[in-house]
Amino acid sequence: MTQTVRFNIYISYDDYLAYYQGAVKRVSVKAYDGRRIEFPAGMLQRHLTRDGIRGHFELEFDGNHKLIELRRIG
């Protein structure tokens, strides 16, 4: 059974460089339901624009809490 967690995030382009260069390996966000979620920073790379990473996202994971997918939802 899969589960999803939704959250909002903003990371400027310049700030994302620390993630991209490997200085920061994980991202920690507060989900809409109040949970603190941590996931690999590399999952955000495909969502990077000139403005950075901004928007509403959804993480999907399986019953063993293994991440399946990160989707932008708005």
Side-chain angles (χ1 to χ4, degrees):
M1 177 180 192
T2 64
Q3 298 180 33
T4 58
V5 176
R6 291 183 174 191
F7 60 92
N8 186 47
I9 193 168
Y10 172 68
I11 302 173
S12 72
Y13 184 86
D14 291 335
D15 286 345
Y16 187 75
L17 287 178
Y19 295 96
Y20 182 74
Q21 294 169 344
V24 179
K25 304 239 185 263
R26 301 189 67 73
V27 175
S28 179
V29 297
K30 188 172 183 180
Y32 294 150
D33 64 8
R35 289 184 280 177
R36 176 74 42 197
I37 304 297
E38 194 173 286
F39 58 93
M43 293 186 78
L44 290 168
Q45 187 172 350
R46 70 184 187 126
H47 300 285
L48 183 63
T49 68
R50 290 188 307 261
D51 297 325
I53 298 167
R54 178 187 304 248
H56 304 282
F57 290 84
E58 180 177 80
L59 269 175
E60 181 180 5
F61 53 96
D62 67 17
N64 294 319
H65 303 285
K66 181 178 178 185
L67 294 174
I68 297 171
E69 185 178 6
L70 173 68
R71 291 182 289 273
R72 185 182 177 122
I73 56 173

